[in-house]
Amino acid sequence: AQLHACQLNKYLATMARNGLAKGANSGFVTEQRERAARPSRSKGKLGKRTALCREIAREVAGLSPYERRILDMIKTGGSSADKRIYKFAKRRLGSHKRAVAKREDIKAVNSKMRAKQAGAN
């Protein structure tokens, strides 16, 4: 299996230099330093403040009509409920990733509501 140039560099970076003038790991033996994490690596990670704002907004505004329909589909269930929910969400949201995420989100909302009801009884 041949390695691409960028894959080869990653592969070689993990191996220590051996002090020889020729070969895959040639060069002066040095200590590998731990590099600081780049800010770009944390892009897209959910922050505490954003999570809190979204939680409050969901609490105040509630579910949108299409989300209520998804919730209803979850409650009624059926044999292919997951697939129907996915297809419906995909049509509304436009992509596979968003549809799957929304389905899981509404399932979490449903389980929270059920837990709340069980706690009240």
Side-chain angles (χ1 to χ4, degrees), residues 113-121:
M113 281 168 54
R114 286 177 67 185
K116 207 174 195 180
Q117 267 183 337
N121 292 340

Side-chain angles (χ1 to χ4, degrees), residues 2-3 14-15 20 26 29 36 41 45 50-51 58-59 68-69 72 75 77 84 88 90 92-93 98 104 107 109-110:
Q2 253 185 335
L3 293 173
T14 58
M15 296 178 72
L20 301 175
S26 62
V29 179
R41 293 284 176 200
K45 188 172 173 282
T50 308
R58 169 55 59 86
E59 220 173 279
R68 269 191 237 112
R69 259 182 81 178
D72 191 45
K75 284 178 181 174
R84 273 191 310 117
F88 177 75
K90 189 172 186 293
R92 293 299 163 103
L93 298 169
R98 287 175 185 169
E104 297 312 310
K107 275 184 179 178
V109 167
N110 185 39

